[in-house]
Amino acid sequence: MLNDVQKHILSVVADMASTPEGAVNIRVDGKKALRQNSEHITITSKTDKDGIDIRIAPHTHAESVHIPVVLSASGFHDMVYNDFFVGEGADVTIVAGCGIHNCGDCDSEHDGIHTFYVGKNAKVRYIEKHYGEGEGSGKRILNPQTILYLEEGASVTLETSQIRGVDDTKRYTKAECNGKDSEIIIQEKLLTHGEQHAVSEMDILLNGENGRTQVVSRSVAQDGSSQIFYPRVQGNALCFGHVQCDAIIMGHARVRSIPEITCNHVDATLIHEAAIGKIAGEQILKLMTLGLSAEEAEQRILEGFLR
């Protein structure tokens, strides 16, 4: 049975006020708290290491998977390996994410490696949220890895967000668009504050003919926090890729953006953009004329930017 703190964290990282329909696996402090399968989606525990296998039958539609993780014990270090096998022609939504509640003086950490094998013409929307809270002096650390292999016509939309309260994070994403007409779309949102540090590193390999990628990263760095973005896109066939990194910097924060594109084929078309700046004063003034205070105007601008 989950306590109130654990239920609160679940509601933040996975939008779960109650157990949703579809396949579900809830992990709390390294142990399975709840599991249910759906008609065409099965979840089984690995036998060789800590983690689960999620198998989605071919042509599965209108079904979802929720696999949130909660850490509520101070000083707990968790490592999990989750593999997703998405059958041909499936169209599913997968909701993941981790929340850490740390009220102690020892660091709490969750490291998760998610590997996706996406079949021919399958479509996946993957949503992952990270969140930290608690009054303890121990750090809240999250280090996710997402590895994707896409077959012909496969499409994945990866929506990742780090909401607040995570002290240190290193996110690594690797996608191989191996099949013809395969596509990966990455939408990343990040907010850091205090003395938090965040690194996001990506390798996107467009290997199949007419492969496509769009990477959009939006971040806000406040106070004395720091962020590093390092997205790398490699075109190895007729393909198209676009990388866009936008950041708002505030206080004494530091942001470093290093988009990299490599063309290894004459018909590869790759574009990158990066912009870092503060909130424009005229934006705040305009909202203040509508009756908002300076603080309210600033908050409204940030919410719109990260929407």
Side-chain angles (χ1 to χ4, degrees):
M1 183 69 85
L2 302 179
N3 60 38
D4 290 341
V5 169
Q6 294 164 348
K7 290 178 181 177
H8 166 67
I9 296 175
L10 277 176
S11 70
V12 174
V13 299
D15 297 326
M16 288 177 57
S18 58
T19 303
E21 296 182 1
V24 180
N25 190 90
I26 301 175
R27 180 181 176 93
V28 177
D29 294 334
K31 298 180 180 179
K32 179 182 70 176
L34 173 68
R35 179 177 297 168
Q36 69 182 27
N37 294 327
S38 66
E39 184 177 0
H40 301 105
I41 302 174
T42 59
I43 302 175
T44 56
S45 298
K46 289 184 176 297
T47 57
D48 58 339
K49 52 190 172 184
D50 208 358
I52 55 177
D53 290 332
I54 301 95
R55 299 184 182 276
I56 300 170
H59 307 292
T60 298
H61 284 247
E63 293 187 40
S64 63
V65 185
H66 284 70
I67 54 163
V69 172
V70 173
L71 267 65
S72 59
S74 181
F76 192 85
H77 288 225
D78 194 24
M79 180 72 182
V80 65
Y81 300 83
N82 296 334
D83 291 348
F84 300 79
F85 302 89
V86 184
E88 177 180 349
D91 188 346
V92 295
T93 297
I94 300 170
V95 181
C98 179
I100 297 179
H101 180 90
N102 190 354
C103 285
D105 56 3
C106 296
D107 295 350
S108 295
E109 178 176 342
H110 174 73
D111 299 337
I113 300 177
H114 290 183
T115 304
F116 291 76
Y117 304 90
V118 187
K120 182 178 179 180
N121 296 323
K123 184 176 181 181
V124 175
R125 182 188 179 201
Y126 178 65
I127 304 169
E128 184 178 87
K129 298 180 181 179
H130 288 162
Y131 171 73
E133 65 175 29
E135 301 302 322
S137 60
K139 288 186 175 181
R140 294 160 288 274
I141 302 170
L142 292 168
N143 297 315
Q145 292 188 38
T146 306
I147 315 297
L148 306 106
Y149 302 98
L150 282 67
E151 296 183 14
E152 179 181 347
S155 176
V156 176
T157 298
L158 187 64
E159 303 173 16
T160 66
S161 61
Q162 185 167 300
I163 304 166
R164 177 171 287 276
V166 178
D167 295 296
D168 285 293
T169 186
K170 184 174 183 180
R171 176 187 293 277
Y172 178 68
T173 303
K174 180 181 179 182
E176 293 189 12
C177 292
N178 295 320
K180 179 181 178 182
D181 297 321
S182 55
E183 176 185 59
I184 176 74
I185 298 172
I186 299 177
Q187 300 170 350
E188 181 178 63
K189 300 176 184 178
L190 174 66
L191 171 67
T192 56
H193 59 94
E195 300 300 320
Q196 295 170 356
H197 179 62
V199 177
S200 178
E201 189 174 358
M202 302 178 191
D203 284 302
I204 312 298
L205 281 65
L206 300 175
N207 299 325
E209 181 183 354
N210 203 34
R212 299 175 301 279
T213 188
Q214 182 181 34
V215 178
V216 179
S217 175
R218 289 179 174 265
S219 73
V220 175
Q222 299 176 324
D223 307 319
S225 64
S226 61
Q227 302 176 3
I228 300 175
F229 297 93
Y230 197 173
R232 299 178 291 265
V233 176
Q234 188 176 121
N236 299 318
L238 168 66
C239 62
F240 177 80
H242 180 228
V243 180
Q244 178 180 339
C245 301
D246 296 325
I248 290 177
I249 187 168
M250 306 171 68
H252 300 287
R254 304 175 306 282
V255 177
R256 185 182 182 195
S257 184
I258 322 164
E260 178 183 310
I261 53 177
T262 302
C263 288
N264 295 321
H265 192 282
V266 68
D267 292 318
T269 301
L270 305 178
I271 303 167
H272 74 69
E273 305 173 65
I276 302 170
K278 64 180 181 180
I279 298 174
E282 57 267 25
Q283 291 178 294
I284 294 178
L285 288 174
K286 184 176 180 180
L287 289 176
M288 290 177 67
T289 63
L290 301 177
L292 298 180
S293 67
E295 291 77 13
E296 291 170 336
E298 184 179 274
Q299 185 61 33
R300 192 70 61 87
I301 292 168
L302 295 180
E303 290 173 354
F305 181 74
L306 292 174
R307 183 171 300 161

